[in-house]
Amino acid sequence: MDAIRNDVGHLRIGVRYRVVRAFTDYDGALHPVRETWRFGGAAFLPYEDGYTFYVSADGVNETSFRMQERPEAQGEFFADTAAYLLAVRPGPPPLASAITAGAVSTAAALAAAAASAARSTRGSRARTVPASTPAGTVSHAGDRAVATAPLAPSRLSLSALRERRRAARTRYQAAGRRLRLDPPMWLILGSFPAAALVILYGFQAHARDEEISFGRYGVYNDYPWWSAVIYGAVWLVAAIDGLVRKLTRHRGQRVDRPS
């Protein structure tokens, strides 16, 4: 089973770091300046104040090296890890990645159509693009035509976020209605006399100055009389609430039913 991995100092799991100050690990291996790897966590060894660092230079294959947090070993490294390792920020994505294959093909088609139109009507400055040409813009400069593909519409907009939020709220409300208890009417009506009997039993025990014995499987405990009164009162309130919800729900269904 893999050891439990944790962050160490300012090092965070999954972040890529570069060595800005050379250091030597517990086994004597030198880690020179400009050495980079992705930090995969460190396993702590309670004895000898040891750590096992898991790193990956290529992001796929993982290796490890050992460190010891003691003044005579790698204590300076643990005292200030930021002085030895610097987080490498990922650079911006290349501009070419923002252009999709569809946009490139559209630009090529527009360029070909504009070139053929320029050859056929060389003396005319005003040129038109056929209706079958893909969506885009064509600008003319003399006998040259430059086709520009339209930018892909943004998938993230305020209206889309509102629609997602509205859909999530609808799913949440539907799940709440499915989980809502809907006891039958006979169970709700039967709860009223049962709750009244429990309350009456509690007052009878109080009048006899006795405690209530309750239990099962041969093990019984004594409870004060007011515990039965409180239990019965809660049961009675729950029955009233269930009856009100039941009647309100049936009334709403009767109103919504088409005549």
Side-chain angles (χ1 to χ4, degrees):
M1 184 175 63
D2 295 339
I4 299 176
R5 302 183 182 184
N6 303 296
D7 300 332
V8 177
H10 83 294
L11 305 181
R12 298 295 178 264
I13 297 176
V15 180
R16 195 168 189 84
Y17 293 93
R18 181 175 68 249
V19 179
V20 294
R21 181 179 177 183
F23 65 93
T24 304
D25 59 24
Y26 179 78
D27 298 310
L30 176 64
H31 297 268
V33 178
R34 296 184 181 179
E35 177 183 282
T36 60
W37 30 259
R38 185 183 62 83
F39 182 62
F44 176 67
L45 306 177
Y47 52 90
E48 300 294 334
D49 297 329
Y51 287 85
T52 301
F53 280 53
Y54 296 91
V55 298
S56 176
D58 56 1
V60 178
N61 301 316
E62 191 175 59
T63 59
S64 62
F65 60 89
R66 298 186 296 177
M67 302 285 285
Q68 189 179 32
E69 190 178 4
R70 287 190 176 180
E72 64 273 12
Q74 287 77 41
E76 296 181 359
F77 175 87
F78 288 96
D80 189 8
T81 55
Y84 289 85
L85 297 174
L86 178 66
V88 180
R89 297 181 179 179
L95 182 61
S97 63
I99 304 177
T100 60
V104 174
S105 62
T106 303
L110 286 173
S116 62
R119 286 193 301 268
S120 60
T121 57
R122 183 177 300 272
S124 175
R125 287 183 175 272
R127 296 177 177 86
T128 59
V129 181
S132 60
T133 306
T137 58
V138 179
S139 60
H140 299 274
D143 295 337
R144 295 178 300 173
V146 180
T148 305
L151 295 177
S154 177
R155 296 183 179 179
L156 187 61
S157 61
L158 184 59
S159 59
L161 291 177
R162 290 178 178 175
E163 187 63 27
R164 292 180 183 176
R165 185 176 180 182
R166 189 181 300 108
R169 187 186 302 111
T170 303
R171 291 194 300 267
Y172 175 78
Q173 292 175 354
R177 285 193 296 268
R178 288 194 299 267
L179 295 176
R180 186 180 301 167
L181 296 178
D182 189 13
M185 183 62 73
W186 63 266
L187 182 60
I188 297 176
L189 296 178
S191 299
F192 287 96
L197 289 176
V198 173
I199 297 175
L200 181 61
Y201 180 71
F203 281 113
Q204 288 180 352
H206 174 60
R208 295 193 301 265
D209 197 13
E210 297 177 356
E211 292 185 343
I212 301 173
S213 297
F214 180 78
R216 57 181 178 176
Y217 307 122
V219 179
Y220 294 89
N221 295 322
D222 294 332
Y223 298 92
W225 65 272
W226 48 262
S227 60
V229 175
I230 294 177
Y231 179 79
V234 172
W235 194 357
L236 184 61
V237 171
I240 295 174
D241 180 71
L243 181 61
V244 172
R245 289 177 179 270
K246 194 77 169 179
L247 295 177
T248 304
R249 190 178 301 113
H250 286 324
R251 184 180 305 169
Q253 294 177 355
R254 190 181 304 110
V255 172
D256 295 338
R257 186 179 306 169
S259 56

